[in-house]
């Protein structure tokens, strides 16, 4: 993270390119959300921040049949 921003890079044609989404989390706005939760960890008890992050991920995940 640099100045409160998370940057995601992807190897494309032998060079790393900045991208908006992660290959591992294509439907989650990780770069926008993760810094908020990391800031929250610094301000709250770590356990509470991790619980909030888990709940957010569960809300974003599609239902599994």
């Amino acid at each position: 993270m640099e100045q409160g921003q998370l940057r995601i890079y992807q190897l494309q044609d032998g060079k790393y390119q900045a991208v908006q989404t992660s290959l591992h989390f294509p439907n989650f706005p990780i770069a926008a959300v993760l810094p908020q939760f990391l800031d929250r960890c610094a301000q709250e008890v770590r356990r509470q921040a991790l619980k909030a992050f888990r709940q957010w991920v569960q809300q974003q995940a599609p239902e599994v049949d």
Side-chain angles (χ1 to χ4, degrees):
M1 255 180 16
E2 187 177 314
Q3 298 178 355
Q5 293 182 352
L6 175 68
R7 295 175 192 237
I8 301 170
Y9 291 90
Q10 199 175 81
L11 187 61
Q12 297 175 351
D13 299 323
K15 295 181 182 179
Y16 284 98
Q17 302 291 325
V19 295
Q20 296 297 314
T21 59
S22 165
L23 288 174
H24 297 285
F25 302 101
N27 298 320
F28 296 155
I30 294 295
V33 175
L34 191 57
Q36 295 172 15
F37 284 99
L38 292 176
D39 286 343
R40 199 168 168 176
C41 282
Q43 297 172 9
E44 295 180 11
V45 177
R46 184 177 181 186
R47 182 175 165 194
Q48 291 171 334
L50 289 173
K51 181 179 178 182
F53 183 68
R54 260 193 317 275
Q55 288 174 342
W56 178 84
V57 168
Q58 289 171 348
Q59 290 171 353
Q60 302 304 309
E63 293 288 326
V64 178
D65 292 328

